[in-house]
Structures are given as C-alpha cells and as structure tokens.
Amino acid sequence: MRAHWSTLVILSLIVLLVAAIGALGNPVVQRVVTDMLIKLVVVLGLSIFIGNSGVLSFGHASFAALGAYGAAWFTMPIVAKKLFLPKLPAFVLATQYGLTAGATIGIVFASTLALIVGIAVVRLSGIAASIATLAWLVIINTILANADSLTKGSSSLVGLPLDVGAGTAAICALIALAVAFFFKYSPIGLMLEASREDEAAALAAGIAVHRLRLVAFVLSGAVVALGGVLQGHFLGMLSVGQFYLEFTFLTLAMLVIGGMRSISGAVMGTLLIATVGELLRVGAGGGTVGGIAIPPMPGMREIALALIMLFVLRARPSGLMGGHELALPSRLASPK
Amino acid sequence: MTFAIQTLIDAISVGALYAISALGIGLLFGIMRLVNFAQSEFVTVGVYTLMMLANAWFPLAALAAVVVVVLLALTVERLAFRPVRNADPATLLIASFAVSYFLQNGLVLLFGARPIGFDVLPGLGQAIQVETVRIPLLNIVTIAATSTLLLGVGLFLRLTRTGIEMRAAAVDFRMARLMGVKADRVIAVGFGLAGIMSAVVSILYAAQTGTASPAMGLQLALVGFVATVIGGMGNLPGAVLGGLAVGAISVLLQAVLPPDLRVFREAFVYAAVIAVLLLRPQGLFRSAAERERV
C-alpha cells in the first residue's frame, strides 16, 4: 500500500476545520474543541503502536500521566511549586521553563520509561503483551498515587500554567497526524503491518518484529505523553486518577470505533465519540426544556455514550472506516 | 508461627476469591477470546442486590443475587456480545468496556456514586480461637464456599456433556464447532456460569467489605485477567491456580513489606506479574493446545 498524500491533506484540513470552529465559537465551544484536539493527539499516539502492530495496549495512559507530571514539575511557577510540592529535588524547585521546554522534558521522561517497559512488552505476543501493559498501568498508577512528594498523591495538583488553547492543541494534533502518517508508510510501519497480519511469516521474511515493535511503542508513548502534557496545561490541574482506566477506555474506544487499522479511523473515531460525549454532557447536565425543569442526572451521559458505542460496534464491527483511509479518488490511488 | 498460620489462612481466603473471578474470566476468554471487563459489574450488581435486600432473610437475598446476576450475564451476552461475536478481539474488548461503563454508571444513576454501608451476615465478623490462632469465621466460610463452588464447576466441566463441550470449546472453538458443539449454547452456558461465580463472589465480597459502591468490582476483575494470563490461557485449572497465586502473593507482601512500602503493594504484585510473563510467556501452567502453531 503506497502512501496516499491526499489522505494526509484531507485529515489535516479536517483538523484545521475543527480548530477553526473552536476559534470562531464562544468560550464553551473553544474548550470543547481544545479537549477534542488533545484527545486526538492521544488517539493518534495510540494508533502508532496499536494500529500498526495489532497489539492492544492498556498501558499508554501511564505515558500521558508521566509526560504530564514530568512537564508540570518544570513549568509550574516556582512559588506554586514551593507551596504544593515542597519536596521536589532542589534543582527542580529552582527552575521554571516554558511550555515547549517542559513538554520536551515530559516527553523524554515518558519515552525513557516507555523504552524500559517496552523491552519487556514486545517480547510477549498477543494477549500476554496486553496484560503486561495493563500491569504496567497499575504499577505506575499505584506509584504516582502514593508518591506524595512528586504528585500530591491522591489529591489534585493545581497551579499549572494555562498555556494550552485551541491553537496549540491544533498545532500538536497536526504534528501527531504527520508523525502517525509518516510512520505508518515508512519501511518500519509497513514491516510492522506485515507482522500484524502474520507474525510468523514476517519473522520468516527476516523482519525484526520485536525491535520494530519497540520503536513503535516508544514513539507512540512519546505522542501520548504530548497529549498528557497538553491536557495538564489545558486544565491547569492534574490528578492521578485522570489517567487511569476511564482514560484508557475512552481513548481505546475512540480508536477501535473509528477503525484501528487506519489513521482516518483514529481521527473519525475521536471526532465522533468526543462530539457525542459533549452533546450528551449538555443533555445530562439538566436544565429547562419547554419550561419544564430537568434535574441533572449523574451517570446518564456515560450510559448513553456506552449504548451508542455498542450500537456502532454492532453496525460496524471493524470500525467506522473499516481500515480504509479517506482519500481523493484518483488514478494514482493503489487499490487496497 | 501463629502469625504465619494466620497469614496463610488469609492468603488462601483472598486467593480463593480471586481464583473464582479468574475462572469466570478464563472460561469466557477460552471460549470466545473475550476479555470480559463487564465481569466486575456482574459482581457489583450482585452486591447492590444484597444491599437492597439487607433486611430480608439471608438465603432469600443470596438466591436473589444469584438470579439477578445470572439473568444480567445472559442478557448482556444476548444483547451486547452475540452481535459482535465474530469481530476481532479488540472490538469484543471495547464492547465489554462499554457494557461495564453502562452498568457502572447505571448504578451511579440509580444509587448515587457514594459507597453505601450495610451488613451481610453480621455473625461472620466473629472469630474462632484455636489455641493461639484466631481465625475469622468469614475466612472459613469463604474458603468453604469457594472450594465447594470450584469443585462443583470442576465436576460440571468434567462429567456433563455440556461441560465437556465447554472445555473443548475453550481449547479450540472452531474445531469444537466442527465437531458439533453448538456455539450459542456453549457461550450462553459460559456466561451463566460466570454469572453464578460472580454472584458467589459478590456475597463473600459484600460480607468482607460491608459496603456497596459502583466501582468495587474492578479490583477483582483486574486480578481475574492477570491470573488467567499467568495461569496459561485456555487452561482453566491454570486460571484457578493463577488466581490463588496472585491472592497469596498480595497477602504475603502485605505481611512482609515494611509499613512505608505497603502502599505500593499493588505495584509489587503487578511487577511480579510482568516478571512471570517474561519468564513463562505461555503462562505458569501451559496447556498443550495453546502452543502457537504456524
């Protein structure tokens, strides 16, 4: 399958369109769009590993958490750090960097840990690899939730600079899109895809499946970490629970519902689930319809979201895009 | 010595609960490659049923929990999983996530997100003194109930026609179907069994914790997956032993870790899981059929 440039162009235009809606809309729309674009960064990150290798990972939320906290240690104002995290190492307490430098530190930190656990994960295949990532997620969650001096433990860490808006999120989403696209059509991506379809045949053809999976794992961990950094600096607060099973579930659902075998699937799944989720939030928040007061119903939004997911899966078991990419019809397009 | 015996009894009773969770999950995984996250809500719904009937006669409440959870499991199979049965494992997994999310938030909607305290069989809080060892009655009941259940399920799987069909399906579903095993029936019975086991777990778990909260089943389900995998997939006795092992390891860690490391116990348990997977990727108790073939 050859890279199809129109796919990258179409998806970039979709991202820009979403960002434009955010830029023109009121503050509420703006926040919704920013949140959606951040989720898109995360889901594209997931697709780099899961989509190409076919191995499900439950562990990537940990990289979002590690990236977010890693960046926050350096971007928080020194005063806020001394107040909330007085036990940080002295050199961290004394420094304050901007978002770019902080994000770089967070991403490097998360990727290093991704490399370490990745070495273990890629040696396993199928469900054993998935369970190892799940175990990793629990490990990191337990450590972060109890490392009071680094994370404030089970209470929230506040005071992160609010540096991320729709613009920053859109730029990062475009970067993530480009990374995912170029990786997928790189020799490494194509060889991984071969191993996804038939691992034994790929090995027999001389493809170093484990090593390539490790590359994908670290790269996807880095992109997901970027998503975590963005989320922290968008909300201005971090809590360990923010990056646990619900985060894992929602982002994986976006990927699978869109169709995990294509980048277009990751994008469309994210946009669909995020949009539906927001619309439902409005619905479940209560209010008055036609003069009748409707009380807020906690849980209603999640119930409806789950039902919609089940219906989509039922109608399209291999995802909305079914493994296809959005592309212009062209004589140059190679048939799949 | 006293401490060691008490720890051992604790380890067995925690491990026994985990073992049943793992068996339910392992059964469905073996048959239909489903990683069933919704099993945690089967347990939770059982606990809420008990909570609503806290003032009723206990055997009646227990029976109600079993009936409710089995019906729930069968309904979920029919409505959520049957339509996507032939999809790839990722789709099945997300479906089970969605079911779990649905049920958990359904409980939030009906009962609120806060834990609700109640008493199941308050008499179980007492302990028996055997020389220097104090054994909580609850531990004895847990061990007795779980071993009876395991024995029952084991006999069912070994001796009845349906049970043998289920074991065949767990080893190789396609081959079993070719030999005339009815897919719908085997899967429905699998869910029914998972429901019964979850209900029993819910009764014991409710007696242990004394509360009902919407996310309480999660821990058991997580341990269930892990135990199934380290026990060797498609190997049901392996899943049971895996559950026992995970339970025993966490209780032992609780006993031997220095107090300031105890909060990190879960991290140690799951690190051990990763280590086991690396050393024995096919599981501790590898089944002959599970070897990868080309």
Side-chain angles (χ1 to χ4, degrees):
Chain A
M1 193 181 2
R2 221 171 308 148
H4 205 244
W5 293 100
S6 65
T7 300
L8 183 60
V9 175
I10 292 173
L11 293 177
S12 303
L13 287 175
I14 291 176
V15 170
L16 287 174
L17 180 70
V18 170
I21 294 172
L24 298 175
N26 61 29
V28 176
V29 174
Q30 210 161 3
R31 283 189 74 77
V32 169
V33 163
T34 311
D35 187 56
M36 194 182 286
L37 291 170
I38 293 173
K39 286 284 186 307
L40 182 57
V41 173
V42 174
V43 176
L44 283 167
L46 287 177
S47 83
I48 291 174
F49 179 69
I50 300 175
N52 291 313
S53 75
V55 178
L56 270 179
S57 164
F58 301 120
H60 275 66
S62 70
F63 304 128
L66 293 165
Y69 279 101
W73 292 327
F74 289 92
T75 58
M76 279 174 70
I78 292 174
V79 188
K81 264 192 283 199
K82 284 193 171 143
L83 186 63
F84 297 125
L85 298 171
K87 288 187 196 142
L88 280 179
F91 78 98
V92 181
L93 266 185
T95 44
Q96 187 189 343
Y97 292 138
L99 180 62
T100 317
T104 311
I105 295 173
I107 291 170
V108 170
F109 176 54
S111 317
T112 312
L113 286 162
L115 177 67
I116 295 171
V117 68
I119 291 172
V121 168
V122 298
R123 289 168 45 118
L124 303 167
S125 57
I127 190 76
S130 305
I131 291 294
T133 58
L134 179 66
W136 168 256
L137 179 65
V138 179
I139 292 172
I140 292 299
N141 182 268
T142 310
I143 293 177
L144 291 180
N146 292 293
D148 292 0
S149 57
L150 297 176
T151 62
K152 280 201 89 202
S154 46
S155 49
S156 307
L157 178 62
V158 291
L160 278 74
L162 293 167
D163 286 342
V164 173
T168 319
I171 292 169
C172 292
L174 288 176
I175 294 174
L177 187 60
V179 171
F181 183 83
F182 287 111
F183 184 78
K184 186 176 167 90
Y185 293 105
S186 71
I188 296 182
L190 294 174
M191 285 190 273
L192 270 177
E193 208 166 307
S195 78
R196 178 186 78 194
E197 298 303 322
D198 191 333
E199 189 172 340
L203 281 168
I207 295 176
V209 175
H210 291 181
R211 203 173 312 153
L212 300 184
R213 277 190 188 159
L214 184 59
V215 174
F217 193 78
V218 175
L219 186 64
S220 94
V223 175
V224 171
L226 172 65
V229 175
L230 293 174
Q231 183 157 334
H233 293 82
F234 163 59
L235 298 173
M237 57 154 283
L238 286 175
S239 64
V240 177
Q242 202 176 318
F243 302 105
Y244 199 40
L245 289 167
E246 183 157 347
F247 181 92
T248 307
F249 162 47
L250 278 180
T251 50
L252 267 182
M254 287 168 172
L255 181 63
V256 172
I257 285 175
M260 65 179 205
R261 293 150 67 100
S262 71
I263 296 176
S264 308
V267 175
M268 301 318 279
T270 309
L271 297 185
L272 174 81
I273 298 298
T275 310
V276 170
E278 280 309 322
L279 292 177
L280 289 170
R281 190 194 299 281
V282 178
T288 50
V289 176
I292 304 161
I294 300 172
M297 288 179 285
M300 200 42 145
R301 162 176 178 256
E302 289 80 3
I303 291 176
L305 189 60
L307 282 180
I308 290 170
M309 287 176 182
L310 284 172
F311 277 111
V312 176
L313 286 177
R314 191 175 178 149
R316 298 199 61 103
S318 35
L320 289 175
M321 299 297 302
H324 295 285
E325 298 283 7
L326 294 171
L328 289 176
S330 147
R331 271 173 297 158
L332 293 172
S334 48
K336 191 173 151 54
Chain B
M1 189 59 199
T2 307
F3 179 68
I5 292 176
Q6 269 174 355
T7 308
L8 186 69
I9 290 173
D10 268 353
I12 296 175
S13 88
V14 171
L17 267 194
Y18 288 173
I20 299 190
S21 294
L23 183 57
I25 283 170
L27 200 59
L28 295 182
F29 182 84
I31 297 174
M32 56 188 292
R33 301 288 129 188
L34 164 68
V35 177
N36 185 19
F37 265 87
Q39 174 135 331
S40 71
E41 273 64 35
F42 293 175
V43 173
T44 316
V45 167
V47 174
Y48 273 85
T49 311
L50 289 166
M51 186 269 292
M52 286 171 67
L53 296 171
N55 296 323
W57 186 46
F58 173 74
L60 191 71
L63 185 68
V66 173
V67 171
V68 168
V69 176
V70 169
L71 286 179
L72 175 73
L74 293 175
T75 314
V76 161
E77 189 273 320
R78 188 71 190 77
L79 295 181
F81 293 124
R82 195 173 290 187
V84 293
R85 187 187 291 163
N86 298 320
D88 67 316
T91 302
L92 275 171
L93 173 88
I94 297 298
S96 89
F97 259 144
V99 170
S100 155
Y101 205 53
F102 174 84
L103 292 173
Q104 191 175 328
N105 285 290
L107 291 171
V108 171
L109 186 69
L110 292 174
F111 298 98
R114 292 196 184 173
I116 304 170
F118 68 105
D119 259 342
V120 182
L121 292 181
L124 290 183
Q126 294 162 355
I128 316 177
Q129 192 86 23
V130 183
E131 301 198 8
T132 54
V133 186
R134 262 184 103 250
I135 308 170
L137 211 50
L138 180 57
N139 281 1
I140 299 175
V141 172
T142 304
I143 293 171
T146 46
S147 20
T148 313
L149 184 66
L150 285 179
L151 190 69
V153 173
L155 289 177
F156 172 77
L157 289 176
R158 296 239 154 239
L159 300 181
T160 65
R161 184 181 168 84
T162 314
I164 293 168
E165 285 181 358
M166 294 186 68
R167 276 165 51 223
V171 172
D172 188 335
F173 190 55
R174 188 158 29 147
M175 182 56 103
R177 288 188 76 175
L178 291 174
M179 306 300 281
V181 169
K182 297 244 186 320
D184 282 352
R185 205 168 82 103
V186 166
I187 292 177
V189 175
F191 270 89
L193 275 181
I196 293 175
M197 291 189 269
S198 303
V200 174
V201 169
S202 76
I203 296 167
L204 297 167
Y205 203 45
Q208 226 175 62
T209 58
T211 55
S213 68
M216 68 188 295
L218 185 66
Q219 165 77 4
L220 286 168
L222 283 185
V223 171
F225 302 134
V226 166
T228 311
V229 174
I230 64 173
M233 283 150 295
N235 178 352
L236 298 177
V240 171
L241 291 174
L244 274 174
V246 174
I249 291 173
S250 29
V251 171
L252 292 179
L253 279 174
Q254 182 74 16
V256 300
L257 280 180
D260 50 336
L261 280 182
R262 256 178 224 163
V263 288
F264 296 106
R265 186 188 64 179
E266 296 290 292
F268 286 103
V269 173
Y270 284 89
V273 166
I274 294 183
V276 168
L277 286 176
L278 285 177
L279 294 174
R280 309 229 6 156
Q282 302 298 325
L284 288 172
F285 315 100
R286 170 179 184 161
S287 68
E290 197 53 32
R291 224 161 282 153
E292 264 182 65
R293 295 206 194 91
V294 176

